[in-house]
Every structure is written in C-alpha cells, then in structure tokens.
Amino acid sequence: MALRAQNVHELDDLVADLPPRDTFRLRVTNAVSSVSEFLTRLQSAWRRPRLPRLALPDDTRVRFVVGRGSACDLVLSDLTVSRVHAELRREDDGGWMIHDLGSLNGTRLNGWRLVGPARVRAGDELSFGDCGFLVSSGQPSPPR
C-alpha cells in the first residue's frame, strides 16, 4: 500500500493506527531550546570586551592618521600597530572612510580585515593591530 501510494492522502489509512504526536513535549522542548539559545547570546554579549570609544573628529580636519609614530593624530603605543598604520579621510558628504596604509597587522572594521577603503559609522568596531575601539560620532547627542 505504501509503495503504490501516489499522494499523502493515500497514506492516511496506513498511519491511522499510530499514536498521536506528543505536542506538549515538543512545545516544552522548543521553549527550553529557545531560552537556552537566548541565554547563550546574552552571555556572549556580556563577556564581550568593553572597548574604548574613538570619537570621529567634528572639526574641519579632512585627514586623521592613526599609528605608533609621534607625528600621528592618534598615537597608539602597542607594538602590533605600525608607525603609520591607517588613515581616516572625511568625504564630501561629511562621512568618514578608513584606509589601511600597508600595516603589517592590518586594520579591521567590525571584525573584517580591510582590503580597501571602507565607510566608518558610529557604532562600528575598529581595530588597528590588537587595539580595538568602538567608533562614536564627535558631535554631541541631540537632546531628547
């Protein structure tokens, strides 16, 4: 009968005597799984390192250089940072682009190593070598 069936309705007679599914057990299992997944994500977010903030300049500068060298605008003393590591450039629309300047340990934006210029926004995670920052706008927050 199962081999000759051509649709689901023809199998109804074959499975009619099977016990019904335990929907309560399935619901409880799904609920426990959902709570467990939520707690895992919450624990992961709680353990994430608290990054220092990097405020984007709100003055008239169009170039902001990051590196270990004393001539840089943001000097980082970490050995994983190159002397002239990366550069933030202001675009015509007022936004900022990050450019890696051939650093050995790379520049990362939200965990991704840069292979070319990328737009930087407030809330992005920006890393120069092993030094990580949370990007914030240099402008004060609007009143509520």
Side-chain angles (χ1 to χ4, degrees), residues 97-121:
M97 296 290 283
I98 183 76
H99 301 262
D100 186 82
L101 299 176
S103 64
L104 182 64
N105 293 308
T107 302
R108 296 182 181 274
L109 180 62
N110 296 322
W112 294 90
R113 187 168 180 157
L114 294 181
V115 293
R119 183 167 291 277
V120 177
R121 295 176 180 86

Short mmCIF file of all heavy atoms in Angstrom, two decimals, residues 97-121:
data_model
loop_
_atom_site.label_atom_id
_atom_site.label_comp_id
_atom_site.label_asym_id
_atom_site.label_seq_id
_atom_site.Cartn_x
_atom_site.Cartn_y
_atom_site.Cartn_z
N MET A 97 35.89 57.68 5.80
CA MET A 97 36.37 56.44 5.18
C MET A 97 37.67 56.06 5.87
O MET A 97 38.50 56.92 6.16
CB MET A 97 36.62 56.62 3.68
CG MET A 97 35.39 56.95 2.87
SD MET A 97 34.24 55.60 2.72
CE MET A 97 35.03 54.60 1.50
N ILE A 98 37.85 54.75 6.13
CA ILE A 98 39.08 54.25 6.73
C ILE A 98 39.93 53.61 5.63
O ILE A 98 39.40 52.89 4.79
CB ILE A 98 38.80 53.26 7.89
CG1 ILE A 98 40.08 52.80 8.57
CG2 ILE A 98 38.01 52.06 7.43
CD1 ILE A 98 40.69 53.80 9.48
N HIS A 99 41.22 53.91 5.65
CA HIS A 99 42.17 53.36 4.68
C HIS A 99 43.32 52.75 5.46
O HIS A 99 43.94 53.44 6.28
CB HIS A 99 42.72 54.45 3.76
CG HIS A 99 41.69 55.18 2.98
ND1 HIS A 99 41.40 54.85 1.68
CD2 HIS A 99 40.87 56.20 3.31
CE1 HIS A 99 40.45 55.66 1.25
NE2 HIS A 99 40.12 56.48 2.22
N ASP A 100 43.63 51.48 5.24
CA ASP A 100 44.82 50.88 5.82
C ASP A 100 46.01 51.36 5.00
O ASP A 100 45.95 51.39 3.77
CB ASP A 100 44.72 49.36 5.79
CG ASP A 100 45.88 48.72 6.51
OD1 ASP A 100 45.82 48.63 7.74
OD2 ASP A 100 46.85 48.33 5.82
N LEU A 101 47.09 51.74 5.66
CA LEU A 101 48.25 52.29 4.96
C LEU A 101 49.38 51.26 4.84
O LEU A 101 50.55 51.58 5.01
CB LEU A 101 48.75 53.55 5.68
CG LEU A 101 47.73 54.69 5.74
CD1 LEU A 101 48.26 55.86 6.55
CD2 LEU A 101 47.35 55.14 4.33
N GLY A 102 49.01 50.01 4.54
CA GLY A 102 50.01 48.96 4.36
C GLY A 102 50.56 48.42 5.67
O GLY A 102 51.70 47.96 5.72
N SER A 103 49.76 48.45 6.71
CA SER A 103 50.22 47.98 8.02
C SER A 103 50.44 46.47 8.00
O SER A 103 49.80 45.74 7.24
CB SER A 103 49.20 48.34 9.09
OG SER A 103 47.98 47.67 8.84
N LEU A 104 51.35 46.02 8.85
CA LEU A 104 51.68 44.60 8.92
C LEU A 104 50.54 43.78 9.52
O LEU A 104 50.18 42.73 9.02
CB LEU A 104 52.97 44.40 9.72
CG LEU A 104 53.47 42.97 9.84
CD1 LEU A 104 53.86 42.44 8.47
CD2 LEU A 104 54.65 42.90 10.78
N ASN A 105 49.96 44.27 10.61
CA ASN A 105 48.92 43.52 11.32
C ASN A 105 47.50 43.89 10.90
O ASN A 105 46.54 43.36 11.43
CB ASN A 105 49.10 43.69 12.83
CG ASN A 105 50.37 43.03 13.30
OD1 ASN A 105 50.60 41.86 13.01
ND2 ASN A 105 51.21 43.77 13.99
N GLY A 106 47.36 44.82 9.99
CA GLY A 106 46.07 45.11 9.40
C GLY A 106 45.16 45.99 10.23
O GLY A 106 45.36 46.21 11.41
N THR A 107 44.14 46.47 9.55
CA THR A 107 43.08 47.26 10.15
C THR A 107 41.79 46.48 9.95
O THR A 107 41.53 45.97 8.86
CB THR A 107 42.98 48.64 9.47
OG1 THR A 107 44.24 49.29 9.59
CG2 THR A 107 41.91 49.49 10.10
N ARG A 108 40.97 46.37 10.99
CA ARG A 108 39.73 45.61 10.91
C ARG A 108 38.55 46.52 11.20
O ARG A 108 38.60 47.35 12.10
CB ARG A 108 39.74 44.44 11.88
CG ARG A 108 40.81 43.42 11.55
CD ARG A 108 40.75 42.24 12.51
NE ARG A 108 41.77 41.28 12.19
CZ ARG A 108 41.65 40.32 11.31
NH1 ARG A 108 40.52 40.16 10.67
NH2 ARG A 108 42.64 39.48 11.07
N LEU A 109 37.50 46.32 10.44
CA LEU A 109 36.24 47.04 10.64
C LEU A 109 35.17 45.99 10.90
O LEU A 109 34.89 45.16 10.04
CB LEU A 109 35.90 47.88 9.41
CG LEU A 109 34.61 48.69 9.48
CD1 LEU A 109 34.68 49.72 10.60
CD2 LEU A 109 34.34 49.37 8.15
N ASN A 110 34.62 46.01 12.10
CA ASN A 110 33.60 45.04 12.53
C ASN A 110 34.09 43.60 12.34
O ASN A 110 33.35 42.73 11.91
CB ASN A 110 32.28 45.27 11.79
CG ASN A 110 31.69 46.61 12.12
OD1 ASN A 110 31.76 47.08 13.26
ND2 ASN A 110 31.12 47.27 11.14
N GLY A 111 35.37 43.38 12.64
CA GLY A 111 35.94 42.04 12.58
C GLY A 111 36.50 41.64 11.23
O GLY A 111 37.17 40.64 11.10
N TRP A 112 36.25 42.42 10.18
CA TRP A 112 36.71 42.10 8.84
C TRP A 112 37.96 42.90 8.52
O TRP A 112 37.97 44.12 8.65
CB TRP A 112 35.63 42.41 7.80
CG TRP A 112 34.43 41.54 7.95
CD1 TRP A 112 33.33 41.78 8.70
CD2 TRP A 112 34.23 40.27 7.34
NE1 TRP A 112 32.44 40.74 8.60
CE2 TRP A 112 32.97 39.79 7.76
CE3 TRP A 112 34.98 39.48 6.48
CZ2 TRP A 112 32.46 38.59 7.35
CZ3 TRP A 112 34.46 38.27 6.07
CH2 TRP A 112 33.22 37.83 6.50
N ARG A 113 39.00 42.22 8.07
CA ARG A 113 40.23 42.91 7.70
C ARG A 113 40.01 43.70 6.41
O ARG A 113 39.47 43.19 5.44
CB ARG A 113 41.37 41.91 7.52
CG ARG A 113 42.70 42.60 7.31
CD ARG A 113 43.85 41.66 7.41
NE ARG A 113 45.09 42.38 7.20
CZ ARG A 113 46.25 41.98 7.63
NH1 ARG A 113 46.33 40.86 8.31
NH2 ARG A 113 47.33 42.68 7.39
N LEU A 114 40.46 44.95 6.42
CA LEU A 114 40.28 45.81 5.26
C LEU A 114 41.20 45.41 4.13
O LEU A 114 42.38 45.14 4.33
CB LEU A 114 40.58 47.27 5.63
CG LEU A 114 39.64 47.94 6.61
CD1 LEU A 114 40.08 49.38 6.83
CD2 LEU A 114 38.22 47.91 6.12
N VAL A 115 40.65 45.37 2.93
CA VAL A 115 41.44 45.15 1.72
C VAL A 115 41.34 46.38 0.82
O VAL A 115 41.98 46.43 -0.21
CB VAL A 115 40.99 43.88 0.95
CG1 VAL A 115 41.31 42.64 1.78
CG2 VAL A 115 39.52 43.93 0.61
N GLY A 116 40.56 47.33 1.22
CA GLY A 116 40.38 48.59 0.50
C GLY A 116 39.69 49.57 1.43
O GLY A 116 39.41 49.25 2.58
N PRO A 117 39.41 50.76 0.95
CA PRO A 117 38.72 51.75 1.80
C PRO A 117 37.32 51.27 2.19
O PRO A 117 36.68 50.54 1.44
CB PRO A 117 38.63 52.99 0.91
CG PRO A 117 39.43 52.72 -0.31
CD PRO A 117 39.71 51.27 -0.37
N ALA A 118 36.88 51.69 3.37
CA ALA A 118 35.55 51.32 3.85
C ALA A 118 34.96 52.48 4.64
O ALA A 118 35.68 53.22 5.31
CB ALA A 118 35.62 50.07 4.72
N ARG A 119 33.65 52.62 4.56
CA ARG A 119 32.96 53.69 5.30
C ARG A 119 32.87 53.32 6.77
O ARG A 119 32.59 52.18 7.13
CB ARG A 119 31.56 53.91 4.73
CG ARG A 119 30.84 55.06 5.43
CD ARG A 119 29.60 55.50 4.71
NE ARG A 119 29.87 56.16 3.46
CZ ARG A 119 30.18 57.46 3.34
NH1 ARG A 119 30.31 58.21 4.40
NH2 ARG A 119 30.36 58.00 2.15
N VAL A 120 33.11 54.32 7.62
CA VAL A 120 33.06 54.14 9.06
C VAL A 120 31.88 54.92 9.60
O VAL A 120 31.69 56.09 9.25
CB VAL A 120 34.37 54.64 9.72
CG1 VAL A 120 34.30 54.52 11.22
CG2 VAL A 120 35.56 53.88 9.18
N ARG A 121 31.09 54.28 10.46
CA ARG A 121 29.93 54.92 11.06
C ARG A 121 29.98 54.76 12.57
O ARG A 121 30.64 53.85 13.08
CB ARG A 121 28.64 54.29 10.53
CG ARG A 121 28.41 54.51 9.05
CD ARG A 121 27.15 53.78 8.58
NE ARG A 121 26.92 53.97 7.17
CZ ARG A 121 27.47 53.24 6.22
NH1 ARG A 121 28.28 52.25 6.52
NH2 ARG A 121 27.21 53.48 4.95
#
